[in-house]
Structures are given as C-alpha cells and as structure tokens.
Amino acid sequence: MLASLIDVSGVGYPLLFVMVMAESSGFLIPGETALIAASVLASQGKLEIELVIPLAAAAAIIGDNIGYVIGRKGGRWVLERPGRFYRQRMEVLRIGEPFFERHGPKAVFFGRFLLGLRVWASWLAGGTRMHWRSFVLWNALGGITWATAVGLIAYFLGHSAGNAIQTFGLYGLVAALVAIASALVLHRRHRRRQRGHAQQRRAARSTARHPLDPPPTPGE
C-alpha cells in the first residue's frame, strides 16, 4: 500500500520526505518503511536512489531537530508537571539526564537505527538539555548513515532485504550478515589449520630416518 502511494508520479519524493521527517519529529509514522519502499522502487527504475537517500537523510536531520526543540521547550514541562505518573516521569528525568550527559552522542547516533529511539531520542535529548551542538553533529551523522545504509541495502537486495529490515530491524539484518561472514571465516581458518597440520605431518614423516640408516653424507 505504502509503496503504491510513493509510486504515484510527482508524489513519491515529497511523501518520502514528509513521512521520514514526521517520524523523526516524534510521531508514530512509518518513515523507515517509506525509505525502504522508495529504495525498492528505485531499484525498479521508478525513482532515483541518488535522490531518495539525500532526501531521507535531510528529512531525518530536520525532523530530529524539530523533535529536539519540542523536547527542549515542552518536554521537561510535560515530565515535571504534577499529575498522573509523576513519580515515573521524574524517574525518566533522573535516569535520562545523566544518561544523555554521558552517552548522549551514542544514543542519538545509534537511536536512529532502532524504532523506539528513532521516534523519541530527539525529544529525550531536548528534554534532558543535551547540548545542541553535540546533538546536531551526531544527529546529522546518524541520519546520513541510516539513510545511506537502509537505502542501499533495500536498493541492491530488493524486497527480501526490505522485509528483513522491517521484521528484525537494521541491526538484526547486520547481525545476521556478520554471523554468516564470521562462520565462513572460521570455517576457512579451520580448513587451513587442518591442511597445515597435514603438511607438517607429511614433512615429519619424510624427514624421519630409520635408526639403522647410514648417516647423511656432507652436503646432503
């Protein structure tokens, strides 16, 4: 359904931009799914991947900054105001503030690849008063890396990669690929080690001499 909407002539690029930006701003909209659908359509020649990736990256960066401003201006008020779940909200501040102070850059960068953090990381960063310059830097790096990685994987591998990313997340797909590559490397190392041991045994047998064999002549 989403791919059909993006496939409509003249609507695909603006719709992709709006959806990614809205998700990054803190709204539960399938922005990453829109990027995957657009990249798959680009692999079919219906869109241009050279436009899909920069548009998604720009939308992610702009949306995250909107979310940061929302969190900075109103996020703390929402968390600190009396009412229901006040204790839990204060616990969010108590844990979130020092966490973003120590690990804010990592949370902003890697949060781009995880559904929950992708939607709320910018609000938390703003609400916990993370330094804006640091946020902008790591947000831009995360947005560009995310759009490039997801876009290219979906573009080159098509629907199968898109389904895997949506089901397991990008980290799950990368972990599976790393596990497969690691298994292949270990298997090859094991085979090389076995061949090395076999060669050593053959060399030892060929150089071994019987006790009654005559001693080697000089220069032998």
Side-chain angles (χ1 to χ4, degrees), residues 107-156:
V108 171
F109 180 86
F110 290 109
R112 168 52 50 188
F113 297 88
L114 301 172
L115 175 59
L117 281 179
R118 184 168 61 251
V119 177
W120 300 109
S122 59
W123 281 47
L124 289 172
T128 55
R129 296 294 197 269
M130 181 180 176
H131 292 298
W132 182 73
R133 290 183 180 178
S134 178
F135 173 81
V136 168
L137 172 63
W138 291 100
N139 160 245
L141 292 174
I144 293 170
T145 303
W146 167 79
T148 304
V150 173
L152 289 180
I153 289 174
Y155 177 78
F156 286 113

Side-chain angles (χ1 to χ4, degrees), residues 84-101:
R84 296 182 61 186
F85 306 111
Y86 175 77
R87 185 186 305 174
Q88 291 84 345
R89 287 187 270 113
M90 292 305 296
E91 187 70 8
V92 169
L93 271 181
R94 186 185 71 81
I95 297 174
E97 211 158 22
F99 176 80
F100 267 87
E101 186 68 28

Side-chain angles (χ1 to χ4, degrees), residues 38-47 49 154-156 158-159:
S39 300
V40 172
L41 289 172
S43 70
Q44 300 170 355
K46 298 178 180 179
L47 295 175
I49 194 66
Y155 177 78
F156 286 113
H159 288 285

Side-chain angles (χ1 to χ4, degrees), residues 2 17 52 118 129 134 152 163-164 171 187 196 216:
L2 182 56
F17 186 88
V52 168
R118 184 168 61 251
R129 296 294 197 269
S134 178
L152 289 180
N163 293 336
Y171 278 160
H187 178 67

Side-chain angles (χ1 to χ4, degrees), residues 16-117:
L16 169 67
F17 186 88
V18 169
M19 293 189 70
V20 172
M21 184 176 66
E23 182 187 49
S24 302
S25 300
F27 299 95
L28 295 175
I29 292 175
E32 185 173 75
T33 303
L35 171 57
I36 293 170
S39 300
V40 172
L41 289 172
S43 70
Q44 300 170 355
K46 298 178 180 179
L47 295 175
E48 297 292 334
I49 194 66
E50 294 84 357
L51 292 177
V52 168
I53 290 175
L55 275 175
I61 295 169
I62 294 171
D64 278 333
N65 278 274
I66 293 173
Y68 177 90
V69 172
I70 293 173
R72 184 97 178 189
K73 298 297 184 181
R76 179 171 289 272
W77 176 81
V78 171
L79 292 172
E80 290 182 338
R81 69 186 182 90
R84 296 182 61 186
F85 306 111
Y86 175 77
R87 185 186 305 174
Q88 291 84 345
R89 287 187 270 113
M90 292 305 296
E91 187 70 8
V92 169
L93 271 181
R94 186 185 71 81
I95 297 174
E97 211 158 22
F99 176 80
F100 267 87
E101 186 68 28
R102 294 193 305 268
H103 307 293
K106 289 184 286 187
V108 171
F109 180 86
F110 290 109
R112 168 52 50 188
F113 297 88
L114 301 172
L115 175 59
L117 281 179

